[in-house]
Every structure is written in C-alpha cells, then in structure tokens.
Amino acid sequence: MRKYMVIYQSVLLENLQYAANVAMGFLGYFVFIFIFVKLWGYMYRTPEELIAGYTKEQMIWYVMMTEMLFFGSNAASVAREVAGDIRGGNIAYLMNRPYHYTLYILAKYTGEWSVRLPMYAALAVVIGMVMVGPLPHFRLTTVWAMALCVILGLTINAVFKMCISLFSFWIEDATPFQWLYDKLILVVGIIFPIEIFPDKLQPLFKITPIYTVCYGPAKLIVDFSPEKCLEILAAQVLYLAAGCGLMFLIYRKGVKKLYVNGG
C-alpha cells in the first residue's frame, strides 16, 4: 500500500506545480453552467415550482455539482493512458514493475483529481452563490458523507473506464465504447437527474453505474437524507467491488494473452 501512496504523493505534488493550467478549463465550465442556469430559469415558471421533486435552486445546483465532478475529475485521462500504454506497447514494461498496473493508474488518477476537484468545487460554490443563491437546507455536518460518496463515485468511474480501455488487448480501439459510456453518463446522470425520466426507467438506471458515479453524490449534496446516503453508499461499495473484480480479471486475461503472443 505504501508504494501506491508514494505514487499518489508524487503525482499530487507534480500537479500542484501546474495548478494554473487547471484554471484554463474554468471558462468551459462557466459557459456550461451559464447555459443551464438560463435553461432551467426558463423552464421553471415560478421559483416555488417543483420539477421531478426538485426546486429551481436544487435543479441548478444539481447540474453544477455533476458538471463539477465531470470537469474536476478528468476521467478521460485514465482511458487515454491505459489505451495508449496497450497500443503503444508500454504495458510490457509497466506490467513488470513492482506494483499492479491497474492500481498504479488509479493512484496516479487520484493524485490528479485531488488537485483539480477542489479548484472546481470552489469555483462551483462561487458561481452558485452569485447566480443562484445558497442551496436550501444544506448542512455542513453532512459534508463528510458527501465527500465519501464523491470519492467512491470518482473511483468507480475510473475503474469502469479502465475496464473498457483494457479491451484494447483484444480490439484495436476501444474509443467507441468509451464514447457510449460517457454519453450515457452525460445524458442520464449529469445533465438530468434520474427522477426526471419515466417511472418505468428509473429502476433500470438505479442498477447502472450512473446511480453511483454522478447522480448519487450530486443528489446527496442538493437533498441529503440519511436513508438515501446509506442506500447510495451501499450501492457504491457493491459497484466498486464488482468493478475491481472485473478490472483485475480483464487485466489478468489481457496479460496472459500478451505473454502467449510473445509480447
């Protein structure tokens, strides 16, 4: 475990030196939020109106939180690095190092978002307070539970994106599958909460990664309840265990294929 902590710390320190580069993405985030503030402002006829159980402030804050997770995590870097290592042959060198390749990638990724995410979180709070106002019924005492759900959600997302990229052991390019996964997360979990979809589809969405990656953490931020928190945490633990098991299985079979083919 110590070696992965060293990897995490080295990547964290490296990214802290280039924190100004992260700020270059703030404009894109602001444009997205500005558009959705105007969109939901138009759709809500009165501030007291509810859409799918969300007030206007809650709906806008929900989108700000999910977009914060999207911009602040940069999970696409995991997919690019893993796919690039496999296609470029660098995996043959990395898999013989004194650590597990997949855990090495996760440690690096955690070091990266540990710098990016707090910066985007601070920006989201500033934009939200200025353009929308304070989030109703928000309690600071629940921040620890929200933070835990966010960390688990980011890790689950990275694990599943890595699983898709690991299929590069067998196929030339896994990018189309990454695109499908990202668009599913974007449309269902990031832009719109699950409650806005038909009742018959909601149970289906709740058994997909969408529920644990972006919807769950954002839902707890805008409308926290102990029951919902336990439900989301339980789902995240199950998904993380299943995702890691799948990740290790695909990697092991991919490495075996590499050895059989002589690297």
Side-chain angles (χ1 to χ4, degrees):
M1 194 65 184
R2 183 180 299 176
K3 51 191 172 187
Y4 300 111
M5 184 60 66
V6 171
I7 294 170
Y8 165 78
Q9 290 174 345
S10 63
V11 175
L12 176 66
L13 293 175
E14 179 183 348
N15 279 268
L16 282 173
Q17 296 178 16
Y18 300 99
N21 293 341
V22 178
M24 299 298 291
F26 284 0
L27 178 60
Y29 176 78
F30 175 78
V31 170
F32 267 91
I33 297 307
F34 181 81
I35 291 173
F36 280 104
V37 167
K38 297 301 181 182
L39 174 63
W40 286 114
Y42 175 78
M43 294 180 67
Y44 280 85
R45 288 170 300 208
T46 62
E48 296 78 19
E49 183 182 4
L50 296 178
I51 297 179
Y54 290 78
T55 65
K56 176 182 174 181
E57 291 80 9
Q58 286 178 320
M59 188 67 78
I60 295 175
W61 273 98
Y62 175 89
V63 175
M64 284 196 296
M65 293 300 100
T66 53
E67 290 289 351
M68 174 201 74
L69 295 174
F70 177 79
F71 280 88
S73 64
N74 191 29
S77 63
V78 173
R80 287 195 302 268
E81 183 168 1
V82 174
D85 286 340
I86 296 174
R87 291 200 302 265
N90 198 37
I91 187 70
Y93 167 73
L94 292 172
M95 69 184 190
N96 291 315
R97 303 295 291 272
Y99 47 66
H100 198 283
Y101 173 75
T102 59
L103 298 180
Y104 160 74
I105 294 295
L106 286 177
K108 283 186 62 179
Y109 172 64
T110 306
E112 292 172 2
W113 68 250
S114 293
V115 176
R116 294 177 58 90
L117 191 64
M119 295 177 66
Y120 275 95
L123 177 65
V125 171
V126 171
I127 294 176
M129 295 297 290
V130 172
M131 299 186 68
V132 185
L135 184 61
H137 312 301
F138 181 82
R139 300 192 300 273
L140 286 175
T141 54
T142 61
V143 168
W144 66 270
M146 299 174 190
L148 179 58
C149 284
V150 167
I151 292 171
L152 288 173
L154 295 179
T155 306
I156 292 168
N157 191 35
V159 166
F160 277 95
K161 289 189 74 66
M162 197 183 309
C163 287
I164 296 173
S165 290
L166 286 172
F167 281 112
S168 297
F169 278 116
W170 293 272
I171 59 179
E172 183 177 351
D173 188 7
T175 303
F177 300 101
Q178 294 284 1
W179 186 88
L180 289 173
Y181 173 81
D182 289 340
K183 293 303 173 285
L184 180 65
I185 295 289
L186 177 66
V187 174
V188 180
I190 294 180
I191 297 179
F192 303 108
I194 290 177
E195 291 89 349
I196 210 165
F197 292 91
D199 293 339
K200 292 183 178 180
L201 291 179
Q202 292 181 26
L204 176 62
F205 292 149
K206 288 184 177 181
I207 60 173
T208 66
I210 297 167
Y211 187 71
T212 59
V213 169
C214 52
Y215 166 82
K219 174 68 174 179
L220 290 181
I221 293 174
V222 302
D223 187 19
F224 182 89
S225 70
E227 297 79 11
K228 179 63 71 173
C229 180
L230 291 175
E231 177 184 321
I232 292 171
L233 283 173
Q236 287 180 322
V237 170
L238 291 174
Y239 252 101
L240 184 59
C244 287
L246 181 63
M247 178 182 69
F248 291 139
L249 176 64
I250 297 173
Y251 177 76
R252 184 169 66 250
K253 290 188 174 296
V255 169
K256 183 178 179 180
K257 177 180 181 296
L258 199 63
Y259 279 128
V260 169
N261 294 333

